[in-house]
C-alpha cells in the first residue's frame, strides 16, 4: 500500500512543482522589460542629433509612466560614430550581445543601410528615427522595418518645386558624397527639372569634411541663380556661416532641406536669417499637440525641440501602438507589426500614417528662418508619399 501511494504523491508533487516552474517563465516574460537598443551617434558632426532623438523617445515613454503596452522599457546604447564601416559590428552588439527586442537608429544613411541589412537577416524589429536612405523603405522594405522620419527624396523633391516656383532656372548643388547627400540632390533635381529648372553642376566633398572654401570659390565663379545644399548638424552650422562669410548669399540665394537650419540656429545666428527650407516639421506650427510637446520637451531637457526630437518621440509612439495592440505580448509578432503598419501617429508635426513600405506620408512645410525659429510659411506639398521604388510590400 505504502509503496503504491508514495509514487503517486511524489508524482503529483513533481507535477505541481513542474507546473510552478512551467508557469514561471510566462509570468516573468509578461513582466520582463522590453529591451530597446539605441544605435545613435554620440560623437562627431551628428552627435547632437542623436541626443535629441534619444531624448524625444524617452520623453514619450516617461509620459506613459515608463511603460508601453504594460511593459517596462529597458535601454541599451551603442555610439555608432556615424561610421558605416563599424555599423554591422555595432548593431550586432545590440542584437546578439544585449539581445534587444527592438533597435532604434540611426541618423546617418550609410550606417542605417548596414543596420537594415542585419535587421532583414535576423528579422529584428528596426525603427529608423532619422536616416533618410531611400532604399530602406524602397527595395529593402520589410515587414519588420519602419521609419518615423522621412526619405531623403521627400523634403528634397518638395524644395525642387519651391525653387522653380520662385523663378530660378539654373541651380548648382553641393553636399557630402554619401547616400543622404546624393539622394537629396537627386530628389531636388527631379522636382526642379520636372518644373522646368536645370541643375547645372553638382559639387561634393567627403563626409564629414567641412573644408568648403574651394567649392564656394567654384560657386562664386559660376554664378548660378541659386544653390541647393544638403548638410546637417555641425557641418550645416559651418556651411551656412562660410557661405555668408564668402558674401555669396547677397546674390545667390541658398536653399536646402530643413536639416540645413534645424537644431542649428543658435549656432548659425545672423548667417541663417531669412533662409527658406522645406521639411516635415517647423518651429511654430502652433497646434495644441505641438505646443504641449514643445513645452514638455523644454521643461525636461532645457532645450528647444527640433525635428530630431520629434522623430524620436514618434518612434516611441509607433512602438507603443504595436505593444498596445498585443497587450505587451511581444511574441504576437505578426499582429504587432500589422498594428504598427496601419497606425495613425499623433505626431507633433501633425498626424501621419505609414505607406505600405512603412515610411511616413506627410506634409512638407515651407519654412523661413526668423531668429532661432524655422517659421512655417505654408505647406509646400501636402501628404507627400515617397515613391518607394523597388518595394514589393503592399
Ligand atoms: C542621413 O544621413 O540620412 C541624414 C543625416 C542627417 C540629417 C538628415 C539625413 O539631418
Amino acid at each position: 500500500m505504502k509503496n503504491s501511494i508514495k509514487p503517486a504523491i511524489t508524482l503529483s508533487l513533481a507535477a505541481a512543482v513542474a507546473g510552478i516552474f512551467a508557469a514561471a517563465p510566462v509570468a516573468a516574460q509578461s513582466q520582463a522589460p522590453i529591451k530597446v537598443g539605441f544605435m545613435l551617434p554620440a560623437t562627431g558632426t551628428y552627435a547632437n542629433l542623436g541626443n535629441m532623438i534619444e531624448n524625444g523617445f524617452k520623453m514619450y515613454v516617461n509620459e506613459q509612466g515608463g511603460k508601453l503596452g504594460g511593459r517596462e522599457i529597458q535601454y541599451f546604447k551603442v555610439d555608432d560614430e556615424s561610421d558605416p564601416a563599424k555599423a554591422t559590428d555595432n548593431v550586432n552588439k545590440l542584437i546578439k550581445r544585449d539581445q534587444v527586442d527592438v533597435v532604434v537608429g540611426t541618423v546617418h544613411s550609410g550606417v542605417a543601410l548596414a543596420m537594415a541589412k542585419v535587421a532583414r537577416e535576423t528579422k529584428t524589429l528596426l525603427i529608423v528615427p532619422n536616416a533618410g536612405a531611400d532604399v530602406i523603405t524602397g527595395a529593402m522594405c520589410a515587414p519588420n522595418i519602419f521609419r518615423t522620419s522621412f526619405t531623403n527624396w521627400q523634403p528634397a523633391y518638395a524644395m525642387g518645386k519651391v525653387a522653380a516656383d520662385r523663378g530660378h532656372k539654373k541651380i548648382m548643388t553641393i553636399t557630402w558624397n554619401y547616400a543622404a547627400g546624393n539622394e537629396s540632390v537627386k530628389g531636388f533635381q527631379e522636382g526642379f527639372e520636372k518644373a522646368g529648372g536645370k541643375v547645372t553642376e553638382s559639387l561634393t566633398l567627403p563626409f564629414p569634411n567641412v573644408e568648403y572654401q574651394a567649392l564656394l570659390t567654384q560657386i562664386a565663379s559660376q554664378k548660378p541663380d541659386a544653390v541647393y545644399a544638403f548638410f546637417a548638424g555641425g557641418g550645416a552650422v559651418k556651411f551656412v556661416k562660410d557661405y555668408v562669410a564668402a558674401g555669396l548669399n547677397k546674390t545667390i540665394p541658398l536653399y536646402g532641406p530643413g536639416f540645413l537650419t534645424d537644431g542649428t540656429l543658435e549656432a548659425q545666428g545672423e548667417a541663417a536669417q531669412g533662409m527658406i527650407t522645406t521639411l516635415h516639421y517647423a518651429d511654430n506650427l502652433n497646434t495644441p499637440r505641438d505646443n504641449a510637446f514643445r513645452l514638455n520637451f523644454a521643461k525636461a531637457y532645457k532645450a528647444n525641440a527640433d525635428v530630431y526630437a520629434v522623430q524620436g518621440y514618434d518612434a516611441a509612439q509607433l512602438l507603443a501602438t504595436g505593444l498596445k495592440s498585443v497587450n505587451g505580448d511581444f511574441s504576437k509578432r505578426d499582429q504587432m507589426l500589422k498594428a504598427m503598419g496601419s497606425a495613425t501617429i499623433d505626431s507633433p508635426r501633425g498626424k501621419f500614417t505609414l505607406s505600405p513600405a512603412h515610411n511616413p506620408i506627410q506634409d512638407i512645410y515651407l519654412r523661413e528662418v526668423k531668429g532661432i525659429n524655422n517659421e512655417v510659411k505654408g505647406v509646400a506639398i501636402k501628404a507627400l508619399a515617397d515613391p518607394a521604388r523597388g518595394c514589393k510590400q503592399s
Side-chain angles (χ1 to χ4, degrees):
M1 260 313 240
K2 266 185 191 169
N3 277 355
S4 63
I5 291 170
K6 201 176 166 200
I9 292 170
T10 312
L11 261 181
S12 61
L13 243 181
V17 169
I20 290 165
F21 279 108
V26 175
Q29 193 191 33
S30 62
Q31 273 151 34
I34 291 287
K35 295 178 166 189
V36 172
F38 285 125
M39 180 152 153
L40 294 166
T43 49
T45 200
Y46 289 160
N48 192 45
L49 286 56
N51 187 41
M52 294 302 266
I53 289 168
E54 183 177 335
N55 287 347
F57 190 101
K58 286 184 169 166
M59 185 171 109
Y60 182 76
V61 174
N62 292 341
E63 284 174 0
Q64 310 309 305
K67 287 187 180 179
L68 303 182
R71 303 280 296 269
E72 298 274 352
I73 303 297
Q74 185 181 9
Y75 298 107
F76 294 80
K77 258 166 96 158
V78 167
D79 173 10
D80 69 36
E81 303 170 51
S82 296
D83 185 350
K86 297 182 185 162
T88 303
D89 280 351
N90 278 332
V91 75
N92 277 325
K93 280 183 199 157
L94 294 171
I95 295 172
K96 300 209 169 117
R97 182 193 65 193
D98 302 331
Q99 308 232 307
V100 300
D101 297 300
V102 48
V103 173
V104 176
T106 186
V107 171
H108 183 287
S109 274
V111 176
L113 285 167
M115 295 170 73
K117 188 165 178 287
V118 175
R120 278 171 69 93
E121 285 162 7
T122 59
K123 300 206 176 336
T124 308
L125 176 57
L126 171 65
I127 304 179
V128 180
N130 184 71
D134 294 342
V135 75
I136 289 177
T137 52
M140 288 181 85
C141 73
N144 57 311
I145 298 180
F146 295 84
R147 177 152 49 197
T148 57
S149 50
F150 57 91
T151 61
N152 290 319
W153 181 89
Q154 280 177 310
Y157 178 82
M159 190 72 237
K161 179 179 173 292
V162 168
D165 288 350
R166 291 171 76 86
H168 302 303
K169 300 276 182 249
K170 290 183 176 170
I171 290 191
M172 279 175 84
T173 66
I174 178 166
T175 189
W176 282 313
N177 185 11
Y178 84 108
N182 295 331
E183 289 177 353
S184 185
V185 163
K186 214 167 141 211
F188 172 80
Q189 185 162 5
E190 189 184 326
F192 187 51
E193 296 195 343
K194 200 163 131 187
K198 177 86 194 134
V199 170
T200 54
E201 188 156 1
S202 298
L203 306 176
T204 62
L205 72 170
F207 176 88
N209 195 325
V210 291
E211 299 310 317
Y212 303 120
Q213 215 47 55
L215 299 176
L216 293 177
T217 305
Q218 250 177 281
I219 292 170
S221 73
Q222 294 193 26
K223 302 189 178 58
D225 295 347
V227 165
Y228 173 85
F230 170 94
F231 294 105
V237 171
K238 181 155 188 299
F239 182 76
V240 169
K241 286 178 129 181
D242 286 3
Y243 195 87
V244 169
L248 290 175
N249 64 316
K250 292 193 194 112
T251 50
I252 309 172
L254 174 61
Y255 298 106
F259 315 115
L260 204 51
T261 58
D262 227 79
T264 56
L265 289 175
E266 281 175 37
Q268 285 164 334
E270 233 355 84
Q273 297 308 306
M275 276 184 63
I276 301 283
T277 61
T278 45
L279 202 64
H280 48 288
Y281 188 58
D283 288 315
N284 66 331
L285 294 176
N286 203 18
T287 59
R289 180 74 177 108
D290 190 47
N291 290 346
F293 165 77
R294 293 182 74 88
L295 187 66
N296 288 348
F297 193 90
K299 274 192 206 154
Y301 303 109
K302 312 279 173 278
N304 291 327
D306 61 13
V307 69
Y308 308 105
V310 171
Q311 294 167 172
Y313 187 82
D314 292 344
Q317 293 210 68
L318 181 61
L319 179 61
T321 304
L323 286 171
K324 270 184 211 154
S325 76
V326 294
N327 285 322
D329 184 352
F330 206 80
S331 69
K332 293 188 177 149
R333 182 185 161 90
D334 290 349
Q335 195 183 325
M336 187 180 72
L337 297 182
K338 221 167 172 192
M340 290 171 74
S342 54
T344 298
I345 300 296
D346 189 10
S347 172
R349 77 188 85 170
K351 285 192 175 140
F352 71 82
T353 56
L354 296 176
S355 68
H358 294 167
N359 188 67
I361 299 172
Q362 55 195 340
D363 293 350
I364 305 294
Y365 299 106
L366 182 64
R367 308 125 38 100
E368 180 174 357
V369 175
K370 288 209 177 111
I372 56 160
N373 285 329
N374 287 286
E375 292 200 353
V376 65
K377 291 193 62 158
V379 175
I381 303 185
K382 239 194 131 32
L384 184 62
D386 180 87
R389 291 167 185 135
C391 175
K392 305 243 156 46
Q393 197 163 265
S394 54

